């Protein structure tokens, strides 16, 4: 049975690009869910069985770091792995994201191969 | 101003890996405040110990071609998809330049992307900022990437 991924990004364009890259990477996701910010992502995670989350950092309303903190406080969803996918991949920011439970980081621009390598270790 | 080569490297990397377009850089220059016509600009503000902006200025024709290639679907007018795509290009370029200016990532903050478009408009940033603009060409079309910076001592 295929797996479910949640893409969190305020840019509709980037959500489409990530979806396309996932297909090109050859990972067998049966369902691709989307959210436009951290608040929407928390709601999607609470209502669906999600195997992995790809989340932007710089978003309105609730950014990626705030999303990680809120998710870590909810026992029902805290163990779902999250990989940050962002233009913001400075060491300080990534260390902060990992302290909140992020499992890795992918820098934009990215390639399907990079996504495959990063997610392959988690799935 | 320095950073022209960084702009070239970042722009070529983003366009080749995300849009599958080879873009050719021209000679960098200092852009004055002349009007942009029938164009769209994606803009990211920089704040912190280095302030300024990163902007990508595209003619409407170039923006439609880039968005069509970016999304893999035909786009025929400057709509929300185009504004979002050009803003996201500016976002990736700013992130790349930020990683050079601020390797740790905590000294400079990037704004959310914004897009401006119209028949005639001008863009002003910091009056005392240094700036550099690099023109690029692809398939007979062109665009510019502009960086304005002011480092606080």
């Amino acid at each position: 049975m295929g797996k479910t991924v949640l893409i969190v990004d305020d840019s509709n364009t980037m959500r489409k690009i990530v979806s396309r890259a996932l297909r090109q990477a050859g990972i067998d996701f049966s369902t691709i869910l989307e959210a436009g910010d951290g608040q929407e992502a928390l709601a999607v995670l609470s209502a669906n069985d999600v195997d992995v989350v790809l989340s932007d950092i710089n978003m309105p309303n609730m950014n990626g770091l705030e999303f990680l903190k809120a998710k870590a406080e909810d026992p029902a969803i805290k163990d779902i792995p999250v990989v940050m996918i962002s233009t913001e991949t400075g060491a300080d920011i990534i260390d902060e994201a990992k302290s909140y439970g992020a499992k890795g980081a992918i820098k934009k621009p990215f390639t399907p191969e990079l996504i495959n390598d990063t997610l392959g270790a988690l799935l | 101003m320095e950073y022209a080569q960084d702009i070239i490297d970042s722009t070529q990397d983003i366009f080749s890996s995300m849009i599958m377009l080879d873009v050719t850089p021209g000679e960098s220059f200092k852009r004055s405040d002349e009007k942009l016509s029938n164009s769209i600009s994606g803009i990211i503000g920089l704040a912190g110990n280095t302030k300024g902006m990163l902007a990508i200025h595209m003619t409407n024709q170039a923006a439609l071609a880039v968005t069509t290639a970016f999304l893999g679907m035909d786009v025929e007018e400057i709509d929300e998809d185009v504004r979002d795509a050009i803003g996201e290009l500016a976002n990736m370029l700013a992130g790349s330049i930020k990683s050079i200016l601020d390797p740790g990532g905590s000294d400079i903050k990037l704004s959310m992307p914004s897009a401006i478009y119209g028949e005639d408009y001008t863009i002003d940033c910091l009056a005392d900022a240094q700036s550099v603009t690099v023109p690029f060409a692809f398939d007979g079309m062109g665009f510019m990437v502009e960086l304005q910076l002011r480092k606080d001592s």
Side-chain angles (χ1 to χ4, degrees):
Chain A
M1 183 175 151
K3 296 183 180 299
T4 297
V5 61
L6 169 61
I7 301 168
V8 190
D9 200 309
D10 57 307
S11 166
N12 180 46
T13 297
M14 193 48 61
R15 295 198 301 271
K16 289 178 183 174
I17 299 298
V18 173
S19 293
R20 186 173 67 192
L22 287 171
R23 290 193 297 273
Q24 292 172 336
I27 303 173
D28 180 24
F29 286 114
S30 59
T31 306
I32 297 177
L33 303 173
E34 297 184 5
D37 59 38
Q39 284 182 336
E40 285 184 21
L42 291 172
V44 172
L45 290 181
S46 295
N48 297 272
D49 289 328
V50 173
D51 295 288
V52 66
V53 180
L54 288 169
S55 177
D56 189 16
I57 293 177
N58 195 13
M59 296 182 288
N61 302 322
M62 178 185 280
N63 68 33
L65 298 177
E66 294 165 338
F67 162 63
L68 284 171
K69 280 192 275 188
K71 174 181 160 295
E73 293 171 357
D74 184 340
I77 59 175
K78 69 181 179 62
D79 292 328
I80 301 170
V82 179
V83 172
M84 312 314 289
I85 185 162
S86 177
T87 59
E88 297 266 12
T89 54
D92 296 347
I93 290 174
I94 297 309
D95 286 348
E96 187 176 2
K98 288 185 175 176
S99 75
Y100 299 138
K103 300 299 184 187
I106 296 170
K107 181 173 173 54
K108 300 174 186 173
F110 50 79
T111 61
E113 291 76 19
L114 180 58
I115 288 182
N116 193 13
D117 290 347
T118 306
L119 294 188
L122 294 173
L123 297 170
Chain B
M1 192 175 86
E2 52 188 336
Y3 304 119
Q5 190 59 48
D6 297 311
I7 291 172
I8 291 169
D9 293 343
S10 299
T11 303
Q12 289 185 314
D13 180 32
I14 289 166
F15 274 75
S16 64
S17 63
M18 301 292 286
I19 310 178
M20 313 304 168
L21 278 178
D22 290 327
V23 297
T24 304
E27 195 72 27
S28 64
F29 64 101
K30 181 175 171 58
R31 204 176 76 83
S32 59
D33 58 356
E34 72 264 22
K35 286 181 180 177
L36 294 154
S37 299
N38 296 312
S39 297
I40 178 168
S41 297
I43 301 169
I44 297 285
L46 286 72
N49 61 9
T50 299
K51 299 176 174 62
M53 74 158 193
L54 183 292
I56 181 167
H57 309 296
M58 285 193 174
T59 62
N60 289 347
Q61 182 191 22
L64 293 174
V66 164
T67 304
T68 293
F70 203 7
L71 295 178
M73 60 185 228
D74 286 337
V75 180
E76 296 177 349
E77 60 181 351
I78 303 296
D79 59 10
E80 186 176 346
D81 281 336
V82 177
R83 297 193 293 272
D84 190 49
I86 304 307
E88 194 57 33
L89 278 175
N91 192 33
M92 286 190 283
L93 284 164
S96 184
I97 295 298
K98 177 185 168 177
S99 70
I100 296 164
L101 296 169
D102 175 23
S106 57
D107 292 335
I108 298 175
K109 303 295 183 193
L110 300 181
S111 74
M112 304 299 296
S114 57
I116 299 172
Y117 64 104
E119 293 183 6
D120 281 307
Y121 59 92
T122 59
I123 295 173
D124 290 330
C125 184
L126 300 168
D128 52 352
Q130 291 187 299
S131 75
V132 63
T133 299
V134 181
F136 292 87
F138 69 97
D139 295 345
M141 292 172 273
F143 64 91
M144 298 180 286
V145 177
E146 179 177 12
L147 179 65
Q148 293 190 15
L149 292 178
R150 188 185 73 199
K151 293 183 180 179
D152 291 344
S153 55

